[in-house]
């Protein structure tokens, strides 16, 4: 079987479990259970369906799940009250979400009138009446600049472009206060977080996608992303069941550790992760720190990121 189709089948099997979890949670919510764990469980299920759909380009499923997820996010953040009307709307929307999953799996289609009607109800809940569905495309844009690199072992390292900082900020960083006392701490500019991220096999098996995680991280602020492809073997030795990639991200954002860590909430058990504030102590738990041995183990264990590999081959620099 084509490895890509095998992975896709795994995604739909996972969808069955996710839809079951979501339905149970929504039924509990309709009966008056507004427990945060119940709401979060539904949000995570829809979020995972959307993330997996993004990996396979299932546009109709992505569109519907995106709006559904947004409604759930507003409920869990307290911006929207969980009324009887909202709960009933979500249950009707769940039936359509399940229809979209089945259509994507079987190559069928969903009743457009029914789907658009429920989608309109969801948009009305979050104040997006009349918005064009095509607007979702901009929201789903990764915002990354493609890089052409070489698979040769002795090829040059690939560095992300430098941060484009405003001129006034650069001037502030270069200027020292004339009347500051020696013992007074000197402001050194915005907070910078260094994130090291290496997916494991389980993360991809659950239909999560590294690119989507990196996109969410970039929404917190400007990022420098460095891809570590040092574990890539010659092209003829690549295995579709393995991945050899990890990322180091330098995030500049006035956010706390919890905000950065929340990006990885759904995948933290399925990756090797380190989050460190530059110029300060590591704020990640000690066991989350990434050693060279752990990086090598994660590279050998995780499945191949086919999109990343195909992008490299398309660049024309892949070894024969």
């Amino acid at each position: 079987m084509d490895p890509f189709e095998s992975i896709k089948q795994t995604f739909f099997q996972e969808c069955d479990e996710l839809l079951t979890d979501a339905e149970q949670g929504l039924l509990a919510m309709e009966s008056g259970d507004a427990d945060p764990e119940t709401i979060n469980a539904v949000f995570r299920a829809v979020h995972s369906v959307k993330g997996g759909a993004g990996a396979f380009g299932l546009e109709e499923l992505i569109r519907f799940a995106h709006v559904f997820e947004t409604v759930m996010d507003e409920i869990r953040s307290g911006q929207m009250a969980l009324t009887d009307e909202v709960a009933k709307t979500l249950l009707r929307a769940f039936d359509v979400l399940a229809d979209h999953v089945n259509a994507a799996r079987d190559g069928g289609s969903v009743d457009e009138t029914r789907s658009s009607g429920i989608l309109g109800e969801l948009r009305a809940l979050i104040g997006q009446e009349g918005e064009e569905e095509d607007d979702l495309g901009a929201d789903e844009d990764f915002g990354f600049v493609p890089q052409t690199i070489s698979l040769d072992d002795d090829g040059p390292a690939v560095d992300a472009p430098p941060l484009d900082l405003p001129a006034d900020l650069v001037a502030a960083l270069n200027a020292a206060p004339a009347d500051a006392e020696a013992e007074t701490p000197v402001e050194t500019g915005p907070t910078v977080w260094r994130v090291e991220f290496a997916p494991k096999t389980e993360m991809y098996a659950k239909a999560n996608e590294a690119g989507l995680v990196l996109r969410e991280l970039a929404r917190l602020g400007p990022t420098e992303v460095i891809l570590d492809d040092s574990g890539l073997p010659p092209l003829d030795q690549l295995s579709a069941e393995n991945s050899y990639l990890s990322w180091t991200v330098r995030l500049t954002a006035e956010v706390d550790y919890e905000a950065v860590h929340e990006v990885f909430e759904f995948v933290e058990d399925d990756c090797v992760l380190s989050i460190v504030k530059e110029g300060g102590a590591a704020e990640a738990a000690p066991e989350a720190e990434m050693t060279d041995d752990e990086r090598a183990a994660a590279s050998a264990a995780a499945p191949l990121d086919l999109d990343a590999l195909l992008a490299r081959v398309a660049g024309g620099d892949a070894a024969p």
Side-chain angles (χ1 to χ4, degrees):
M1 178 184 292
D2 183 342
F4 184 80
E5 286 302 318
S6 177
I7 297 172
K8 197 171 183 180
Q9 286 186 14
T10 301
F11 161 65
F12 285 120
Q13 291 171 2
E14 181 72 14
C15 275
D16 290 339
E17 299 178 12
L18 293 170
L19 290 176
T20 298
D21 293 342
E23 183 177 28
Q24 291 175 349
L26 289 169
L27 289 171
M29 290 166 60
E30 186 191 31
S31 66
D33 181 2
D35 181 76
E37 284 303 315
T38 301
I39 295 172
N40 279 329
V42 176
F43 173 84
R44 285 193 297 267
V46 178
H47 176 83
S48 296
V49 169
K50 172 192 165 186
F56 297 105
L58 305 175
E59 296 297 332
E60 294 302 319
L61 178 54
I62 295 171
R63 291 178 193 279
F64 196 89
H66 172 75
V67 182
F68 200 137
E69 174 193 46
T70 302
V71 175
M72 291 304 308
D73 189 39
E74 292 206 1
I75 293 174
R76 72 171 188 157
S77 65
Q79 298 180 52
M80 181 187 301
L82 180 59
T83 63
D84 288 342
E85 179 183 355
V86 170
K88 293 182 184 301
T89 299
L90 289 173
L91 269 175
R92 292 197 300 273
F94 167 80
D95 290 337
V96 177
L97 177 66
D99 289 345
H100 275 288
V101 171
N102 291 332
R105 175 172 47 206
D106 303 331
S109 60
V110 177
D111 184 332
E112 180 59 30
T113 301
R114 182 178 180 227
S115 179
S116 61
I118 293 295
L119 196 61
E121 291 185 42
L122 292 175
R123 288 184 182 279
L125 291 177
I126 53 179
Q128 293 183 354
E129 300 97 326
E131 289 196 10
E132 293 294 331
E133 292 186 6
D134 288 341
D135 290 346
L136 178 59
D139 184 70
E140 293 298 311
D141 185 7
F142 280 62
F144 296 136
V145 179
Q147 303 271 346
T148 300
I149 66 173
S150 172
L151 293 177
D152 296 337
D153 291 340
D154 56 354
V158 179
D159 293 327
L163 287 173
D164 184 14
L165 297 177
D168 56 347
L169 179 56
V170 174
L173 293 176
N174 293 331
D179 56 349
E181 297 180 0
E183 64 273 12
T184 302
V186 178
E187 292 295 333
T188 57
T191 301
V192 178
W193 296 94
R194 181 182 178 87
V195 180
E196 296 184 5
F197 171 49
K200 298 179 182 178
T201 302
E202 294 80 4
M203 195 190 92
Y204 292 102
K206 294 177 181 176
N208 287 304
E209 170 59 42
L212 297 177
V213 176
L214 295 175
R215 181 204 65 184
E216 293 300 319
L217 190 63
R219 286 181 173 176
L220 296 178
T223 57
E224 296 179 67
V225 181
I226 300 176
L227 171 66
D228 182 358
D229 63 347
S230 59
L232 276 173
L235 189 59
D236 59 355
Q237 297 179 21
L238 287 173
S239 169
E241 300 301 323
N242 295 327
S243 176
Y244 311 91
L245 308 177
S246 62
W247 292 265
T248 298
V249 183
R250 190 169 182 269
L251 167 68
T252 302
E254 293 299 332
V255 296
D256 58 15
Y257 169 81
E258 292 302 327
V260 181
H261 182 264
E262 185 178 358
V263 171
F264 300 90
E265 178 181 1
F266 304 111
V267 299
E268 61 178 327
D269 293 333
D270 301 321
C271 69
V272 179
L273 178 65
S274 172
I275 303 173
V276 179
K277 181 188 292 185
E278 289 194 359
E283 301 216 17
E287 58 270 23
E289 295 292 341
M290 186 187 302
T291 67
D292 292 339
D293 290 341
E294 288 174 326
R295 185 190 296 275
S299 296
L304 176 63
D305 189 334
L306 294 176
D307 288 341
L309 175 59
L310 292 175
R312 296 163 182 274
V313 174
D317 289 331

